[in-house]
Amino acid sequence: MIVLPLIGAIATATLGGGGGSARTAKLVALLFSLAEFVLAVVLWVVYRRDQLGAGTAGAPPFRETFSVDWIPSFGVSFSLGVDGISLVMIALIALLVPIVLGASWEERLPEGRTVGGYFALILVLQAAMTGVFAATDVFLFYVLFEVMLIPMYFLIGAFGGVRRTYAATKFFLYSLLGGLLMLASLIGLYVASGNTPARAGLGGTLDWATLRSLAGQIPESTQLWIFAGFAAAFAIKAPLVPLHTWLPDAGAEAPVGAGTLLVGVLDKVGTFGFLRICLPLLPLASSRLAWLFLLLAVLGILYGAIVAAGQTDLKRFVTYTSIAHFGFICMGVFAFTTQAISGAVLYMVNHGIATALLFLVVGMLTARGGSRLVGDYGGVWKVAPLLGGLMLVGALATIAVPGTNSFVSEFMVLIGTFTRYPAWAIVGTTGIVLAAVYMLWIFQRTMTGPVRGAAVLDIGGPEGPASGSGGLTEQPQREADDRYGHGGVAVAAPVGTARGVTTAVRRRFGDLSPREIGVLTPLVLLVLFLGVYPKPVLDVINPTAERTVVDSGHTDPAPRVPAGAAGATGAVTAAATVRVPAAAVHLEGTGQ
């Protein structure tokens, strides 16, 4: 699954000159991405078969493993494997890439850029992200963490919008800083592992399973320093406030396909890193600093929501909603309960699906209107009802309305957090109200009301209609000016005139094409299916989430027993008991 997209990228890059070769490049890239999706389905089926056959007791942490020596002198190997968390993320990548390629079929690229180069970079990015989620050697994880920055840098810098150079440079510098801090912590972890009693005379190691067994032997003070570098890198990648400022610029300037993968998958590597590295390998430091990340999570929920409500750029708006949602994910990670961590991982999947739907719909809207400004749109539902309807589905999923996929994960995160940290959960719940405010406000401004806005009417400012074949004819344009004024400001007009304008705009603006409907339909179906039946995904996630809680040195909080419940206390306590390995036990507040 890592090699196949690389082969596809090489084949695609050689075909993207133009004309027929460009179409061939698109088809080749799409075929390779569909083959990758088939492999992901096979991997899911095989993993579930092995999981059901082996059970959870004594099961290895990773399945479908592969390992060869890479740097023997340092004990580094090229080791891969999947657990429940990495499996669902790899499946998400395999799902989104063919959808992104389909959505980018008619992408307008900057002068001198080829379709083959663009699609090839997306496939390289797919290979790198798959490797990050599958790596079971910490050094390999770090290398692939850095490698995946390269294709995204070129996707933004070579194929992005007007400020693409600035956005790509900012993205790369932030990520490079995080990578350097991670490298320092990586070296510290290697040295610290070699100083443990169990590794006396054997030297350090970066094998994940070995490091997990040594976690209780590394002093808390040492763990705190190592944790700082890893956590900074993951907080930048997630991104958590105040290390988030690269995402709005990168998401806004990236082409729609690359931006979808950026906010849908790539930034999930940050929260995945907390789950894969920080909690199981540095449990004492994770517990000691949990309050800080819960604080950053709540700040992100509130800040992201408030700033999103004030955005005038549609693509920046979507990126700020993602910052708010990442606050919920981070809260679930550091709640240290199985329910919250399962909810956080499910949230990562559901956010990737819902945000991909919203980002792609916004991309299709801005491609028609030629503007990213909120004020340039209005009444779009009247001229493009299918586009407006699918944006409504994306909006409802974004605000976690019951019946959509995001509701299940958000509910699990809040309930799971409340059992251990009720105050943080209560404050975080205010983000639900704020999400409804900013999402419905944007939807109302762009989709409902009278047909208005320069991007919809193609007014082109005070000079008159925009040049080119996409403008309104002379008579409907005059009617548009009479009703709305130049720039889309609504004024009174007869009903018949408004109908004439709507008809003319509908012909020019256009609704979703069959290709666009086919691209968005799988995302809509998943939003609805996972909203009513998330069990197939949770069955994969839950065992790994429970193991992560144990590895972090915690047990799930016992349920509260009502006063006077005679005879029930013993049964409830026995049912709530979780057996954990002695080496994993952490007595909170004692440092032992």
Side-chain angles (χ1 to χ4, degrees):
M1 294 191 71
I2 297 173
V3 172
L4 186 63
L6 294 177
I7 297 174
I10 295 171
T12 303
T14 61
L15 296 170
S21 62
R23 177 175 175 79
T24 304
K26 295 175 184 178
L27 290 173
V28 169
L30 183 60
L31 287 174
F32 271 94
S33 67
L34 291 174
E36 182 85 348
F37 177 73
V38 171
L39 281 180
V41 172
V42 172
L43 178 63
W44 187 289
V45 172
V46 171
Y47 182 90
R48 282 294 290 153
R49 182 198 64 195
D50 293 347
Q51 186 183 41
L52 293 173
T56 57
F62 300 106
R63 303 181 190 276
E64 311 308 317
T65 55
F66 169 84
S67 182
V68 294
D69 288 339
W70 186 14
I71 311 176
S73 57
F74 289 97
V76 173
S77 60
F78 193 94
S79 299
L80 305 170
V82 290
D83 58 9
I85 297 175
S86 58
L87 176 63
V88 296
M89 296 310 301
I90 291 172
L92 178 64
I93 299 169
L95 169 72
L96 288 184
V97 168
I99 291 175
V100 161
L101 294 180
S104 304
W105 209 258
E106 304 296 335
E107 184 87 48
R108 295 180 181 178
L109 302 177
E111 189 69 26
R113 307 302 180 188
T114 65
V115 173
Y118 178 61
F119 278 34
L121 284 172
I122 289 179
L123 291 177
V124 172
L125 179 63
Q126 179 179 20
M129 291 190 299
T130 301
V132 168
F133 289 116
T136 60
D137 184 279
V138 180
F139 184 78
L140 177 62
F141 175 88
Y142 163 75
V143 170
L144 294 173
F145 182 92
E146 296 286 80
V147 167
M148 73 178 181
L149 306 179
I150 299 173
M152 182 55 73
Y153 170 79
F154 285 108
L155 284 168
I156 299 171
F159 297 91
V162 176
R163 300 177 70 244
R164 57 182 178 268
T165 302
Y166 168 78
T169 303
K170 189 174 183 179
F171 161 76
F172 192 80
L173 290 177
Y174 266 76
S175 300
L176 182 63
L177 173 62
L180 292 175
L181 293 173
M182 188 195 298
L183 178 60
S185 289
L186 188 78
I187 296 171
L189 185 60
Y190 179 83
V191 173
S193 65
N195 292 331
T196 57
R199 297 287 298 180
L202 298 176
T205 181
L206 291 172
D207 175 70
W208 187 91
T210 305
L211 288 171
R212 185 185 66 157
S213 67
L214 301 175
Q217 302 179 34
I218 300 177
E220 182 179 358
S221 58
T222 304
Q223 286 193 25
L224 288 170
W225 284 105
I226 298 172
F227 178 92
F230 281 114
F234 300 147
I236 290 173
K237 186 60 62 186
L240 298 180
V241 175
L243 304 174
H244 67 285
T245 58
W246 63 269
L247 181 60
D249 292 311
E253 298 303 325
V256 173
T260 301
L261 292 177
L262 177 65
V263 299
V265 181
L266 189 140
D267 48 10
K268 307 286 191 308
V269 174
T271 46
F272 175 80
F274 284 121
L275 292 168
R276 175 55 55 85
I277 305 295
C278 292
L279 266 63
L281 305 187
L282 304 165
L284 301 180
S286 298
S287 299
R288 178 61 64 90
L289 295 177
W291 67 269
L292 174 61
F293 287 90
L294 290 170
L295 174 62
L296 294 178
V298 171
L299 288 176
I301 293 171
L302 302 180
Y303 174 84
I306 293 170
V307 177
Q311 291 304 302
T312 58
D313 184 304
L314 283 166
K315 291 176 75 175
R316 290 179 70 90
F317 164 77
V318 177
T319 60
Y320 275 108
T321 66
S322 295
I323 291 170
H325 290 303
F326 269 97
F328 284 106
I329 297 173
C330 183
M331 177 187 291
V333 169
F334 283 92
F336 301 116
T337 66
T338 300
Q339 192 174 37
I341 290 180
S342 292
V345 177
L346 184 62
Y347 211 136
M348 290 161 65
V349 176
N350 287 336
H351 175 265
I353 294 169
T355 301
L357 174 60
L358 188 62
F359 205 91
L360 290 176
V361 170
V362 166
M364 294 170 185
L365 174 66
T366 57
R368 284 164 169 75
S371 172
R372 300 192 328 229
L373 298 179
V374 176
D376 286 344
Y377 297 90
V380 173
W381 205 330
K382 289 184 173 64
V383 298
L386 287 175
L387 190 152
L390 291 187
M391 185 169 181
L392 178 61
V393 175
L396 295 178
T398 300
I399 62 179
V401 169
T404 63
N405 59 342
S406 299
F407 171 76
V408 180
S409 45
E410 193 168 285
F411 185 79
M412 289 179 64
V413 166
L414 291 172
I415 292 296
T417 303
F418 186 84
T419 58
R420 190 180 294 277
Y421 302 110
W424 292 115
I426 292 170
V427 177
T429 304
T430 59
I432 299 175
V433 179
L434 295 174
V437 171
Y438 66 66
M439 194 70 250
L440 296 180
W441 179 73
I442 288 289
F443 183 83
Q444 182 184 36
R445 290 189 63 189
T446 57
M447 295 291 148
T448 64
V451 180
R452 64 190 184 277
V456 181
L457 297 173
D458 198 22
I459 291 173
E463 306 301 327
S467 59
S469 60
L472 295 172
T473 59
E474 183 178 353
Q475 180 61 29
Q477 179 63 54
R478 188 180 300 113
E479 293 173 349
D481 290 345
D482 291 341
R483 176 167 174 75
Y484 304 106
H486 291 296
V489 180
V491 296
V495 175
T497 303
R499 288 175 179 170
V501 171
T502 302
T503 301
V505 172
R506 183 180 292 120
R507 288 197 301 266
R508 180 195 66 81
F509 198 78
D511 207 346
L512 295 178
S513 67
R515 174 184 59 84
E516 291 170 327
I517 295 172
V519 164
L520 297 177
T521 297
L523 297 175
V524 174
L525 294 177
L526 283 171
V527 164
L528 300 177
F529 176 77
L530 293 178
V532 297
Y533 191 65
K535 186 176 183 297
V537 180
L538 285 174
D539 284 345
V540 171
I541 295 171
N542 282 337
T544 305
E546 183 178 350
R547 188 200 70 206
T548 303
V549 172
V550 173
D551 288 345
S552 66
H554 294 80
T555 58
D556 286 308
R560 297 180 182 274
V561 181
T569 305
V572 171
T573 303
T577 300
V578 179
R579 297 188 181 277
V580 299
V585 173
H586 169 227
L587 303 180
E588 296 187 48
T590 67
Q592 301 297 317

